[in-house]
Amino acid sequence: MIRIERRLQQPRWLMFAVPIGSVAVSFLVMAAVLGVTGHDPIRTYRRIFDAAFIGHAAWTDTVTLATPLLFTGLAAAVAFRMQLFNIGAEGQLYLGAICAAGAAIWLGPHHATALTILAMCACGAAGASLWALIPGALKAFARTNEIITSLMLNYVAGLLLTYLIFDSASPWRDISTIQTRSFPQAVALQPSQFWPTVSPFSVVVPLGFLLALGVAGGLYVLFRATRFGFEMNVIGDSQRAARYSGMRTRRKILAVMAISGGIAGLGGASQVGDFVHELDASPQGLQGANYGYTGIVVAALGRYNPFAVCLVAILLGGLQNAGLFLQGVDFPSGLVGVMQGIILFCALGGELLIRYRVRIRRSVPTVEAPVTPETT
């Protein structure tokens, strides 16, 4: 007999073994897919590793692609740790980019760069937090499923992003010339408003990546050394037990959703200040990158541990970087998406192994005793 039982206690070693095993299984499955499609798995993996992690330029591109994944992965990890399934980091990233770009446009290029960065971070985090509080309030006071509400708000945020650039004369749209009025274009930031970079060992590291590492450190302290983090863990394990002990679960739901949205909003601010330097509403821009959804994979593989999320974000950033390098006639871009999808499904499968275990029992045939006159 095969039975699936929920684990009453989760062994500590399982928290490390399952994510590593999930990645290993995903690479084995990808090797099978590569073999079926006519690609040598060993050669492909070598090219992926070289393109992602060999050389200063490779590391620069990997860190650049890992930065938004790190923000959205941390945003998802905060919420998931308390069993709040915030699927809205994608839309919260958009709101962060909108508010950060608006702050930079309003301040103009004549203020100090530090002031501009501070205003962009504050406005981006605040706008995304307020956006995340919508599903948070519905969850806390109306018991609405936060998965559905946060997911639907992603599409609303995407439409708002498109409206500001393509369908209105908003402050985010450049209408200074006849050409920009005919062909919608966002207001570009001036060079004095660009976020600075650092270059340790000749690797260009954007300020947003360093900011995300600081956020990860802050979250680790929050989870491990504060009462707030302790109550998060208790509520995540059992809301009934938390309410019985006097914890204010509604306030915690609102606070955690606001923190989660704020981190995603910082990712949107980083996209504007570090990379695109404008509110990019094109289909190939923020809305085509799917950073928020990939962040769920990062959080799941990292087991909601902030430092593990950093490592997984770099891994997936390297995979995306290598995918861009590998794309060509002999290696279509769709195959790169398949590889990322395999990692996602293996991560979800590993999550089930952590929560449940499989027991196999042999059924022993029962032998009926013979009926005798004495027994009758």
Side-chain angles (χ1 to χ4, degrees), residues 26-32 34 40-50 339:
S26 66
F27 274 86
L28 290 175
V29 176
M30 286 190 294
L34 291 171
D40 183 6
I42 303 299
R43 181 172 177 271
T44 301
Y45 288 156
R46 186 182 298 113
R47 291 176 62 190
I48 289 175
F49 186 80
D50 292 344
M339 295 170 68

PDB file of all heavy atoms in Angstrom, residues 26-32 34 40-50 339:
ATOM      1  N   SER A  26      16.190  18.755 -12.399  1.00  0.00           N
ATOM      2  CA  SER A  26      15.832  19.612 -13.528  1.00  0.00           C
ATOM      3  C   SER A  26      16.899  19.568 -14.614  1.00  0.00           C
ATOM      4  O   SER A  26      16.581  19.556 -15.811  1.00  0.00           O
ATOM      5  CB  SER A  26      15.617  21.048 -13.050  1.00  0.00           C
ATOM      6  OG  SER A  26      16.827  21.627 -12.582  1.00  0.00           O
ATOM      7  N   PHE A  27      18.174  19.504 -14.208  1.00  0.00           N
ATOM      8  CA  PHE A  27      19.233  19.431 -15.212  1.00  0.00           C
ATOM      9  C   PHE A  27      19.237  18.072 -15.912  1.00  0.00           C
ATOM     10  O   PHE A  27      19.570  17.982 -17.101  1.00  0.00           O
ATOM     11  CB  PHE A  27      20.591  19.706 -14.564  1.00  0.00           C
ATOM     12  CG  PHE A  27      20.932  21.167 -14.481  1.00  0.00           C
ATOM     13  CD1 PHE A  27      20.505  21.939 -13.414  1.00  0.00           C
ATOM     14  CD2 PHE A  27      21.652  21.781 -15.491  1.00  0.00           C
ATOM     15  CE1 PHE A  27      20.805  23.282 -13.342  1.00  0.00           C
ATOM     16  CE2 PHE A  27      21.964  23.121 -15.430  1.00  0.00           C
ATOM     17  CZ  PHE A  27      21.535  23.889 -14.362  1.00  0.00           C
ATOM     18  N   LEU A  28      18.850  17.018 -15.194  1.00  0.00           N
ATOM     19  CA  LEU A  28      18.738  15.715 -15.848  1.00  0.00           C
ATOM     20  C   LEU A  28      17.595  15.712 -16.862  1.00  0.00           C
ATOM     21  O   LEU A  28      17.736  15.184 -17.979  1.00  0.00           O
ATOM     22  CB  LEU A  28      18.516  14.625 -14.801  1.00  0.00           C
ATOM     23  CG  LEU A  28      19.702  14.295 -13.889  1.00  0.00           C
ATOM     24  CD1 LEU A  28      19.294  13.276 -12.834  1.00  0.00           C
ATOM     25  CD2 LEU A  28      20.878  13.778 -14.710  1.00  0.00           C
ATOM     26  N   VAL A  29      16.455  16.292 -16.481  1.00  0.00           N
ATOM     27  CA  VAL A  29      15.328  16.362 -17.418  1.00  0.00           C
ATOM     28  C   VAL A  29      15.685  17.230 -18.614  1.00  0.00           C
ATOM     29  O   VAL A  29      15.354  16.908 -19.772  1.00  0.00           O
ATOM     30  CB  VAL A  29      14.080  16.899 -16.685  1.00  0.00           C
ATOM     31  CG1 VAL A  29      12.925  17.064 -17.670  1.00  0.00           C
ATOM     32  CG2 VAL A  29      13.680  15.954 -15.559  1.00  0.00           C
ATOM     33  N   MET A  30      16.381  18.349 -18.354  1.00  0.00           N
ATOM     34  CA  MET A  30      16.795  19.211 -19.461  1.00  0.00           C
ATOM     35  C   MET A  30      17.763  18.496 -20.390  1.00  0.00           C
ATOM     36  O   MET A  30      17.742  18.692 -21.608  1.00  0.00           O
ATOM     37  CB  MET A  30      17.425  20.492 -18.919  1.00  0.00           C
ATOM     38  CG  MET A  30      16.440  21.486 -18.336  1.00  0.00           C
ATOM     39  SD  MET A  30      17.163  23.104 -17.977  1.00  0.00           S
ATOM     40  CE  MET A  30      18.314  22.694 -16.684  1.00  0.00           C
ATOM     41  N   ALA A  31      18.608  17.643 -19.814  1.00  0.00           N
ATOM     42  CA  ALA A  31      19.523  16.868 -20.664  1.00  0.00           C
ATOM     43  C   ALA A  31      18.749  15.956 -21.601  1.00  0.00           C
ATOM     44  O   ALA A  31      19.102  15.807 -22.786  1.00  0.00           O
ATOM     45  CB  ALA A  31      20.472  16.060 -19.787  1.00  0.00           C
ATOM     46  N   ALA A  32      17.663  15.353 -21.088  1.00  0.00           N
ATOM     47  CA  ALA A  32      16.832  14.511 -21.947  1.00  0.00           C
ATOM     48  C   ALA A  32      16.164  15.334 -23.051  1.00  0.00           C
ATOM     49  O   ALA A  32      16.104  14.906 -24.212  1.00  0.00           O
ATOM     50  CB  ALA A  32      15.785  13.792 -21.105  1.00  0.00           C
ATOM     51  N   LEU A  34      17.227  18.194 -24.305  1.00  0.00           N
ATOM     52  CA  LEU A  34      18.265  18.597 -25.259  1.00  0.00           C
ATOM     53  C   LEU A  34      18.638  17.449 -26.185  1.00  0.00           C
ATOM     54  O   LEU A  34      18.855  17.641 -27.388  1.00  0.00           O
ATOM     55  CB  LEU A  34      19.495  19.095 -24.504  1.00  0.00           C
ATOM     56  CG  LEU A  34      19.337  20.427 -23.758  1.00  0.00           C
ATOM     57  CD1 LEU A  34      20.552  20.694 -22.874  1.00  0.00           C
ATOM     58  CD2 LEU A  34      19.146  21.570 -24.742  1.00  0.00           C
ATOM     59  N   ASP A  40      23.711  18.355 -27.966  1.00  0.00           N
ATOM     60  CA  ASP A  40      24.564  17.618 -27.041  1.00  0.00           C
ATOM     61  C   ASP A  40      24.442  18.242 -25.650  1.00  0.00           C
ATOM     62  O   ASP A  40      24.815  19.409 -25.451  1.00  0.00           O
ATOM     63  CB  ASP A  40      26.017  17.687 -27.512  1.00  0.00           C
ATOM     64  CG  ASP A  40      26.946  16.867 -26.626  1.00  0.00           C
ATOM     65  OD1 ASP A  40      26.428  16.159 -25.734  1.00  0.00           O
ATOM     66  OD2 ASP A  40      28.169  16.938 -26.827  1.00  0.00           O
ATOM     67  N   PRO A  41      23.911  17.517 -24.646  1.00  0.00           N
ATOM     68  CA  PRO A  41      23.713  18.119 -23.314  1.00  0.00           C
ATOM     69  C   PRO A  41      25.017  18.594 -22.672  1.00  0.00           C
ATOM     70  O   PRO A  41      25.064  19.686 -22.098  1.00  0.00           O
ATOM     71  CB  PRO A  41      23.073  16.984 -22.506  1.00  0.00           C
ATOM     72  CG  PRO A  41      22.459  16.086 -23.524  1.00  0.00           C
ATOM     73  CD  PRO A  41      23.360  16.156 -24.714  1.00  0.00           C
ATOM     74  N   ILE A  42      26.083  17.790 -22.749  1.00  0.00           N
ATOM     75  CA  ILE A  42      27.346  18.167 -22.112  1.00  0.00           C
ATOM     76  C   ILE A  42      27.893  19.448 -22.746  1.00  0.00           C
ATOM     77  O   ILE A  42      28.307  20.384 -22.041  1.00  0.00           O
ATOM     78  CB  ILE A  42      28.368  17.027 -22.215  1.00  0.00           C
ATOM     79  CG1 ILE A  42      27.809  15.734 -21.586  1.00  0.00           C
ATOM     80  CG2 ILE A  42      29.670  17.432 -21.548  1.00  0.00           C
ATOM     81  CD1 ILE A  42      27.480  15.872 -20.120  1.00  0.00           C
ATOM     82  N   ARG A  43      27.872  19.503 -24.050  1.00  0.00           N
ATOM     83  CA  ARG A  43      28.389  20.698 -24.739  1.00  0.00           C
ATOM     84  C   ARG A  43      27.522  21.910 -24.435  1.00  0.00           C
ATOM     85  O   ARG A  43      28.033  23.017 -24.234  1.00  0.00           O
ATOM     86  CB  ARG A  43      28.434  20.430 -26.248  1.00  0.00           C
ATOM     87  CG  ARG A  43      28.979  21.604 -27.062  1.00  0.00           C
ATOM     88  CD  ARG A  43      29.170  21.197 -28.516  1.00  0.00           C
ATOM     89  NE  ARG A  43      29.630  22.323 -29.316  1.00  0.00           N
ATOM     90  CZ  ARG A  43      28.826  23.184 -29.922  1.00  0.00           C
ATOM     91  NH1 ARG A  43      27.497  23.024 -29.811  1.00  0.00           N
ATOM     92  NH2 ARG A  43      29.317  24.171 -30.634  1.00  0.00           N
ATOM     93  N   THR A  44      26.203  21.718 -24.378  1.00  0.00           N
ATOM     94  CA  THR A  44      25.295  22.831 -24.083  1.00  0.00           C
ATOM     95  C   THR A  44      25.522  23.354 -22.676  1.00  0.00           C
ATOM     96  O   THR A  44      25.577  24.576 -22.453  1.00  0.00           O
ATOM     97  CB  THR A  44      23.844  22.387 -24.250  1.00  0.00           C
ATOM     98  OG1 THR A  44      23.638  21.932 -25.595  1.00  0.00           O
ATOM     99  CG2 THR A  44      22.897  23.540 -23.974  1.00  0.00           C
ATOM    100  N   TYR A  45      25.661  22.456 -21.698  1.00  0.00           N
ATOM    101  CA  TYR A  45      25.902  22.887 -20.320  1.00  0.00           C
ATOM    102  C   TYR A  45      27.241  23.608 -20.195  1.00  0.00           C
ATOM    103  O   TYR A  45      27.361  24.575 -19.424  1.00  0.00           O
ATOM    104  CB  TYR A  45      25.850  21.696 -19.371  1.00  0.00           C
ATOM    105  CG  TYR A  45      24.462  21.149 -19.149  1.00  0.00           C
ATOM    106  CD1 TYR A  45      24.261  19.829 -18.742  1.00  0.00           C
ATOM    107  CD2 TYR A  45      23.340  21.948 -19.343  1.00  0.00           C
ATOM    108  CE1 TYR A  45      22.991  19.332 -18.531  1.00  0.00           C
ATOM    109  CE2 TYR A  45      22.070  21.453 -19.143  1.00  0.00           C
ATOM    110  CZ  TYR A  45      21.893  20.146 -18.738  1.00  0.00           C
ATOM    111  OH  TYR A  45      20.630  19.652 -18.544  1.00  0.00           O
ATOM    112  N   ARG A  46      28.229  23.166 -20.936  1.00  0.00           N
ATOM    113  CA  ARG A  46      29.522  23.845 -20.893  1.00  0.00           C
ATOM    114  C   ARG A  46      29.399  25.254 -21.464  1.00  0.00           C
ATOM    115  O   ARG A  46      29.960  26.213 -20.913  1.00  0.00           O
ATOM    116  CB  ARG A  46      30.566  23.042 -21.669  1.00  0.00           C
ATOM    117  CG  ARG A  46      31.977  23.628 -21.552  1.00  0.00           C
ATOM    118  CD  ARG A  46      32.986  22.854 -22.371  1.00  0.00           C
ATOM    119  NE  ARG A  46      33.105  21.471 -21.909  1.00  0.00           N
ATOM    120  CZ  ARG A  46      32.734  20.423 -22.617  1.00  0.00           C
ATOM    121  NH1 ARG A  46      32.205  20.570 -23.819  1.00  0.00           N
ATOM    122  NH2 ARG A  46      32.873  19.207 -22.134  1.00  0.00           N
ATOM    123  N   ARG A  47      28.643  25.392 -22.548  1.00  0.00           N
ATOM    124  CA  ARG A  47      28.442  26.721 -23.136  1.00  0.00           C
ATOM    125  C   ARG A  47      27.640  27.619 -22.186  1.00  0.00           C
ATOM    126  O   ARG A  47      27.915  28.813 -22.071  1.00  0.00           O
ATOM    127  CB  ARG A  47      27.703  26.593 -24.470  1.00  0.00           C
ATOM    128  CG  ARG A  47      28.521  25.932 -25.581  1.00  0.00           C
ATOM    129  CD  ARG A  47      27.681  25.758 -26.832  1.00  0.00           C
ATOM    130  NE  ARG A  47      27.238  27.046 -27.352  1.00  0.00           N
ATOM    131  CZ  ARG A  47      26.323  27.176 -28.325  1.00  0.00           C
ATOM    132  NH1 ARG A  47      25.759  26.079 -28.840  1.00  0.00           N
ATOM    133  NH2 ARG A  47      25.992  28.374 -28.755  1.00  0.00           N
ATOM    134  N   ILE A  48      26.652  27.036 -21.493  1.00  0.00           N
ATOM    135  CA  ILE A  48      25.872  27.820 -20.526  1.00  0.00           C
ATOM    136  C   ILE A  48      26.771  28.323 -19.402  1.00  0.00           C
ATOM    137  O   ILE A  48      26.719  29.500 -19.018  1.00  0.00           O
ATOM    138  CB  ILE A  48      24.721  26.968 -19.956  1.00  0.00           C
ATOM    139  CG1 ILE A  48      23.644  26.751 -21.025  1.00  0.00           C
ATOM    140  CG2 ILE A  48      24.107  27.635 -18.731  1.00  0.00           C
ATOM    141  CD1 ILE A  48      22.537  25.823 -20.593  1.00  0.00           C
ATOM    142  N   PHE A  49      27.617  27.449 -18.865  1.00  0.00           N
ATOM    143  CA  PHE A  49      28.492  27.835 -17.758  1.00  0.00           C
ATOM    144  C   PHE A  49      29.495  28.890 -18.205  1.00  0.00           C
ATOM    145  O   PHE A  49      29.749  29.872 -17.487  1.00  0.00           O
ATOM    146  CB  PHE A  49      29.216  26.600 -17.224  1.00  0.00           C
ATOM    147  CG  PHE A  49      30.040  26.869 -16.001  1.00  0.00           C
ATOM    148  CD1 PHE A  49      29.449  26.938 -14.752  1.00  0.00           C
ATOM    149  CD2 PHE A  49      31.414  27.060 -16.107  1.00  0.00           C
ATOM    150  CE1 PHE A  49      30.203  27.196 -13.617  1.00  0.00           C
ATOM    151  CE2 PHE A  49      32.172  27.317 -14.977  1.00  0.00           C
ATOM    152  CZ  PHE A  49      31.572  27.381 -13.731  1.00  0.00           C
ATOM    153  N   ASP A  50      30.057  28.730 -19.386  1.00  0.00           N
ATOM    154  CA  ASP A  50      31.030  29.703 -19.882  1.00  0.00           C
ATOM    155  C   ASP A  50      30.377  31.064 -20.116  1.00  0.00           C
ATOM    156  O   ASP A  50      30.955  32.107 -19.786  1.00  0.00           O
ATOM    157  CB  ASP A  50      31.663  29.203 -21.182  1.00  0.00           C
ATOM    158  CG  ASP A  50      32.558  27.989 -20.958  1.00  0.00           C
ATOM    159  OD1 ASP A  50      32.923  27.739 -19.790  1.00  0.00           O
ATOM    160  OD2 ASP A  50      32.867  27.281 -21.940  1.00  0.00           O
ATOM    161  N   MET A 339      13.603  25.291 -20.690  1.00  0.00           N
ATOM    162  CA  MET A 339      14.556  24.966 -19.638  1.00  0.00           C
ATOM    163  C   MET A 339      14.182  25.657 -18.322  1.00  0.00           C
ATOM    164  O   MET A 339      14.242  25.053 -17.245  1.00  0.00           O
ATOM    165  CB  MET A 339      15.965  25.365 -20.082  1.00  0.00           C
ATOM    166  CG  MET A 339      16.482  24.577 -21.279  1.00  0.00           C
ATOM    167  SD  MET A 339      18.013  25.229 -21.980  1.00  0.00           S
ATOM    168  CE  MET A 339      19.153  24.867 -20.666  1.00  0.00           C
TER     169      MET A 339
END
